[in-house]
């Protein structure tokens, strides 16, 4: 359309002798040269707007204040043996007060000793996952205490607490990248040997080497199917072969 309009206008102006043919040609070439940059500008503007929306969402997340804050003067938890104790723990999820559901945990107490395998059994929604969330301090109880080796988890630094707990969540979260990168996630520096050793402890090595590209196999988010169920393994990450929970790759 613009080309037709340009030619019509040009022809009309030439016929009225306002324009010479050579002037018209240079004018037409100038217009043709402008088309590309203008297309780029509108393209970039669209991309900019999309980026702006993404940045808004990222900053929404960054602005969130964590509910669990490290206590001032928290101590680094020494290597634990894995004595887990709950003392009269009460808990409701934030924002659920007054919706009639009541607390999720009501006065829970128990003791799990090092070396014991403990299964929490209960119907769906009974609060099993919630208990595990409290142990890792994803939430703090409203009343009562969660103790690891006799130390209230609130007295320990989050890093020293979580570093000593292995969690196999119900919903498996994978990041876009290779299997090796997913295993080494969170480490700033890692060796292929260490990744393989970890995979062997988790009974995953055999499955991984059967894949066409082994540890370099690329998995997308949630790209590999793992069987569900929640389990935690306490103790030294590297040396807990016997204690680590079994799980199957489907
Ligand atoms: N993030 C959450 N916010 C609000 N309520 C939750 C949240 N997670 C779980 N709940 C509620 O807490 C109760 C216990 O959940 P959960 O610990 O996941 O049960 P289980 O693992 O035993 O199936 C359920 O009623 C569930 O709806
Ligand atoms: Mg659960």
């Amino acid at each position: 359309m613009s080309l037709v309009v340009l030619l019509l206008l040009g022809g009309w102006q030439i016929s009225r002798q306002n324009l010479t043919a050579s002037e018209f040609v240079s004018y037409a070439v100038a217009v043709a040269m402008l088309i590309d940059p203008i297309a780029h500008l509108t393209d970039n503007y669209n991309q900019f707007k999309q980026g702006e929306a993404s940045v808004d969402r990222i900053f929404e997340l960054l602005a969130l204040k964590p509910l669990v804050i490290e206590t001032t003067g928290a101590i680094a938890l020494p290597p634990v043996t894995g004595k887990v104790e709950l003392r009269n723990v009460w808990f409701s999820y934030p924002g659920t007060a007054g919706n009639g559901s009541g607390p999720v945990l009501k006065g829970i107490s128990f003791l799990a000793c090092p070396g014991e395998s403990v299964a929490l059994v209960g119907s769906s929604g009974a609060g099993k996952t919630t208990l595990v969330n409290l142990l890792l301090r994803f939430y703090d109880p409203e009343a009562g205490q969660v103790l690891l080796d006799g130390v209230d988890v609130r007295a320990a630094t989050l890093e020293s607490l979580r570093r000593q707990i292995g969690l196999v969540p119900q919903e498996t979260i994978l990041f876009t990248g290779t299997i090796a990168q997913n295993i080494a996630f969170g480490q700033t520096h890692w060796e292929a040997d260490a990744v393989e050793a970890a995979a062997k402890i988790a009974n995953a090595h055999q499955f991984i080497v059967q894949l066409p590209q082994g540890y370099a196999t690329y998995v997308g988010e949630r790209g590999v199917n793992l069987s569900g169920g929640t389990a935690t393994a306490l103790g030294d990450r590297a040396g807990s072969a016997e204690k680590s929970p079994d799980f199957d790759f489907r």
Side-chain angles (χ1 to χ4, degrees), residues 93 96 104 123-130 139:
Y93 279 98
T96 58
V104 176
S123 53
S124 176
K128 306 178 294 291
T129 303
T130 305
Y139 298 92

Side-chain angles (χ1 to χ4, degrees), residues 22-219:
S22 65
E23 273 170 351
F24 174 70
V25 168
S26 25
Y27 176 68
V29 169
V31 168
M33 284 167 75
L34 262 178
I35 288 173
D36 245 23
I38 289 170
H40 272 303
L41 264 181
T42 50
D43 247 29
N44 288 352
Y45 183 72
N46 282 345
Q47 275 184 21
F48 174 75
K49 277 291 169 196
Q50 276 175 18
E52 214 180 11
S54 308
V55 163
D56 279 350
R57 287 173 57 196
I58 290 169
F59 276 98
E60 248 171 56
L61 274 179
L62 288 178
L64 284 178
K65 293 257 179 300
L67 292 169
V68 171
I69 316 157
E70 193 154 289
T71 327
T72 40
I75 52 142
L77 200 63
V80 294
T81 58
K83 188 175 124 194
V84 175
E85 190 178 358
L86 264 70
R87 282 193 201 148
N88 195 24
V89 167
W90 289 74
F91 178 76
S92 5
Y93 279 98
T96 58
N99 70 359
S101 58
V104 176
L105 303 177
K106 304 175 197 114
I108 303 287
S109 301
F110 74 78
L111 174 69
C113 288
E116 270 182 353
S117 298
V118 175
L120 297 167
V121 183
S123 53
S124 176
K128 306 178 294 291
T129 303
T130 305
L131 260 176
V132 171
N133 289 343
L134 293 183
L135 184 59
L136 282 129
R137 246 196 120 197
F138 293 152
Y139 298 92
D140 281 330
E142 273 151 50
Q145 276 185 302
V146 180
L147 302 117
L148 188 52
D149 273 21
V151 179
D152 191 313
V153 290
R154 277 170 293 196
T157 60
L158 290 170
E159 206 262 341
S160 70
L161 171 73
R162 292 176 181 164
R163 177 169 283 283
Q164 300 196 58
I165 302 178
L167 173 71
V168 182
Q170 205 154 356
E171 195 193 336
T172 316
I173 297 178
L174 288 168
F175 298 97
T176 305
T178 65
I179 289 189
Q181 282 166 348
N182 269 278
I183 292 175
F185 182 77
Q187 309 293 316
T188 45
H189 179 79
W190 48 274
E191 308 281 340
D193 288 354
V195 165
E196 203 175 301
K200 279 178 180 155
I201 293 170
N203 288 329
H205 176 72
Q206 285 232 297
F207 155 82
I208 295 167
V209 291
Q210 275 167 21
L211 295 170
Q213 283 159 301
Y215 284 88
T217 304
Y218 197 82
V219 288

Side-chain angles (χ1 to χ4, degrees), residues 5-24:
V5 170
L6 182 71
L7 288 175
L8 283 178
L9 268 176
W12 177 55
Q13 289 297 315
I14 291 170
S15 70
R16 295 193 53 188
Q17 307 199 328
N18 287 338
L19 208 62
T20 66
S22 65
E23 273 170 351
F24 174 70

